Amino acid sequence: MLRFNDSTHESDLRKAIIECGRICYEKGLLTSNDGNLSIRLDNRRILITPAGISKSRMQPNDLLLIDYDGELLSKFSGGKPSTETPMHLEVYKQRPEVRAVLHAHPIFATVLTVSDHAFPVDMLPEVLLTLGEVPITRYATPSSHDDADAIRELIQNHDALLLRQHGSLTIGKDLEAALTHLERIEHVAEVYWRAQMLGIVKRIPEGDIENLIKLREWYQSGM
Ligand SMILES: [Zn+2]
């Protein structure tokens, strides 16, 4: 249901956002009114969550249509687009192949940014196989154009970022891809935290790191 393509109808895309928001909330990847989700509909319109709403309790008609300047296109709606709209627009402008943007507040991944730990790219092989480096942005004021500025360079070459003292940003060809990235970084961050508690964090040997990077490049080339 979170997978979609060019022929998926807008009503199903609305359902995909509702479903993804509910999954994120129930898994503790965001809480309260936090987080925001969007889908690129076409080269004119983006479907995005409204500001100030729990992602576990949305209805399809709560979602808003905006253009690439962030202007509201939805008629008869009292809602306002997400306050993080500039960050979503920045992704869509920079990455033409991306159709889904998911901003969440995962606890363990956010703890890394609060405690000044780098994301452990070389601890579990699946990170090197799928995502590679997960950079952490500089601190930026949430709900402002500062967030868009902070991701501008990094989002060009990464599908997952951590926003310092704030949360995560994952993107993909559909919401399934964006959510998979989010689940992965949160899982890795939790394993890292628990390993730190035990006092040892093993790293993947140098030669094996190169093998995993080559495998990722091979997968991504579609061979
Ligand atoms: Zn946020």
Side-chain angles (χ1 to χ4, degrees):
M1 179 151 177
L2 303 186
R3 293 191 179 92
F4 53 78
N5 55 42
D6 290 347
S7 58
T8 306
H9 193 270
E10 183 187 322
S11 60
D12 288 326
L13 298 177
R14 286 178 181 262
K15 287 179 194 162
I17 289 182
I18 304 298
E19 174 71 2
C20 191
R22 190 186 58 75
I23 293 170
C24 288
Y25 188 91
E26 289 180 356
K27 293 191 79 168
L29 298 168
L30 44 78
T31 190
S32 185
N33 290 343
D34 294 343
N36 27 76
L37 302 84
S38 70
I39 291 176
R40 186 203 299 269
L41 290 192
D42 50 37
N43 59 12
R44 195 175 64 83
R45 300 172 304 157
I46 292 162
L47 189 61
I48 194 164
T49 48
I53 190 170
S54 167
K55 306 309 170 292
S56 71
R57 299 184 284 278
M58 296 188 293
Q59 302 292 327
N61 286 341
D62 288 329
L63 305 178
L64 302 171
L65 285 170
I66 57 172
D67 66 17
Y68 283 81
D69 293 320
E71 295 298 321
L72 194 62
L73 299 172
S74 298
K75 295 172 184 164
F76 315 118
S77 171
K80 289 184 179 166
S82 164
T83 55
E84 299 286 8
T85 293
M87 186 166 66
H88 289 246
L89 295 175
E90 185 66 30
V91 175
Y92 292 124
K93 285 173 186 167
Q94 300 249 13
R95 300 283 300 274
E97 80 284 16
V98 164
R99 287 201 62 199
V101 175
L102 171 53
H103 164 53
H105 290 193
I107 294 168
F108 290 96
T110 305
V111 164
L112 290 182
T113 78
V114 171
S115 57
D116 227 5
H117 284 243
F119 185 85
V121 66
D122 57 350
M123 183 186 70
L124 298 177
E126 61 261 35
V127 180
L128 287 160
L129 277 174
T130 58
L131 281 172
E133 187 195 359
V134 178
I136 302 177
T137 66
R138 66 168 171 79
Y139 177 79
T141 305
S143 307
S144 75
H145 284 273
D146 198 21
D147 260 353
D149 293 344
I151 68 160
R152 185 160 296 136
E153 297 288 322
L154 296 171
I155 205 63
Q156 292 171 12
N157 297 309
H158 299 91
D159 291 346
L161 303 179
L162 295 180
L163 313 177
R164 189 170 296 281
Q165 291 155 259
H166 183 174
S168 64
L169 182 69
T170 54
I171 65 177
K173 64 184 171 74
D174 54 26
L175 277 175
E176 176 70 26
L179 179 59
T180 300
H181 294 331
L182 171 57
E183 290 175 326
R184 177 154 289 121
I185 60 176
E186 179 65 343
H187 172 75
V188 170
E190 181 172 358
V191 170
Y192 178 74
W193 186 84
R194 291 179 185 273
Q196 287 274 359
M197 293 297 107
L198 295 177
I200 297 175
V201 180
K202 290 268 195 190
R203 303 294 178 157
I204 295 168
E206 195 72 34
D208 294 290
I209 288 177
E210 286 170 25
N211 289 340
L212 291 166
I213 292 171
K214 280 182 194 156
L215 268 176
R216 181 175 81 242
E217 289 168 351
W218 185 74
Y219 289 139
Q220 289 177 342
S221 70
M223 298 295 285

